[in-house]
Amino acid sequence: MKVYTCCGHETVVKRIYCPSCGTSDIQEQEISDHGTIYSFTKIHVPPVEFAEIAPYNVVLVQLMNTTAKVTGRLMGDVSIGDTVELDRVENGAYLYKKV
Amino acid sequence: MTKTYIHGVGMTKFGNHSDRTLKSLLLDASRQALEAAGRPKIDAVFVGNFLAGSMSNQEILGAIVANDLGLGYIPTAKVEGACASGGIALRQGILGVMSGEYDTVLVAGVEKMKHANTPDVTQAINAAMDTDSNEKHAGLTFPGFFGVLAHRYFHETGATKEHLAMVALKNRENALNNPLAQFQKATSIEEIMNARLITEPLGLFDCSPMTDGAAAIVISRKPSSIHVRASALVSGPTQMQDAAELLSIPAIGESGRRAYEKAGLGPEDIDVIEIHDCFSMTEIIAIEELGFFKRLEGWKAVETGHTKPGGKKPVNTSGGLLSRGHPIGATGLSQIYHLVHQLNGTAPNQVEGARIALAQNLGGTGSYSAVHILERL
């Protein structure tokens, strides 16, 4: 997994301009696939396209050794502080599993 | 600088209008506001709306209002800012008056949602998120954002699901006295706590409903007894993973800060407040962001009863989005409708002697926030 950094901003989505200095001189950094659950919700009322997999958790993962967080999906039970690992990226979604 | 005053307000009952069209609701509220203002000559129309295109196959709302009410060949526009569409439409009208381009403007807001089923509405409302993002592909929903926020808020404070229920109960109790509110059936903490889950930890009563309805306001540079003391609007993060601090919605805080600065007032000066409780959790964050209570302590104010009609900072005396209802494009204007009645001494759950009122209207998961401060002269 990668994060993009400039002026202390670390994000999983590459920005066009740095919100601090305004340049596009944004650095790329490889990071661990591990993280911890910062928060989550179990979605019981999904939009039509996710109806078949509900209920499912949307998780906000605090990535390791960076300030960046990423939003992903995790099936099963989960709590804040759980250690998780990126399982795969599928249809544009980061799918996590508990370690 | 040209000042702006409110001359008339109008609002339909909020709820299920399966027998009426979007247009009839929009024209009804507009006609009420025009008549309350004494049928002035209107120089421009702004309409706040979010879903008429996707759910009613209807656009050109500004032109429809001008044409069907015989306002002449005047400038009109529809304004979209998700759930803040109404507040942003009002601000566009105010800017038009302040610039000197218009003397008198009609601002209306409308939404019709009840004819569609919940999955379709959930899908349509997701347009208020960045849909070209890994968050959308993960299956995050609009309510889901506030579920994630609530779990973290519980984790970092002493708050529990019961505090969310207290917000929902307060707003329902307020709505019982508001004949225009969608929900007028009494409830209890137990019923709220045990309701079916939508997106954990939020249950049915923690989420604003689908609603049909419209509201409208006539504003003018000509003086009246209600002065618009400040209008502020800002954008914020459009993705949850971009939030520097999940328990802060910076658009709310910054729009409040700008409004206080323009008004030369602070949170201590505000007598009555309508804020955007799209979810019970959002009301707690907003009362913190707007400076009424300390950060991470809003839940204590709710527990103490400070936000009830007799409390030191009465919030959502109309019933709020949770119980007045949330016809998306109309919500920001229905807040103003209710606050004008508060300032005139004619509101349900009247706050004695209210002179300064604040309305905060949120769009998306913190993508937009509009704040207006009104003053009785």
Side-chain angles (χ1 to χ4, degrees), chain B residues 45-76:
Chain B
V45 176
F46 292 94
V47 179
N49 174 264
F50 180 44
L51 297 172
S54 61
M55 299 194 62
S56 298
N57 194 34
Q58 180 66 67
E59 297 287 7
I60 63 164
L61 298 179
I64 286 173
V65 170
N67 181 72
D68 288 36
L69 294 173
L71 303 180
Y73 300 152
I74 57 171
T76 70

Side-chain angles (χ1 to χ4, degrees), chain B residues 339-352:
Chain B
L339 290 177
V340 166
H341 278 285
Q342 278 286 3
L343 296 179
N344 285 332
T346 55
N349 306 303
Q350 179 65 45
V351 173
E352 213 53 50

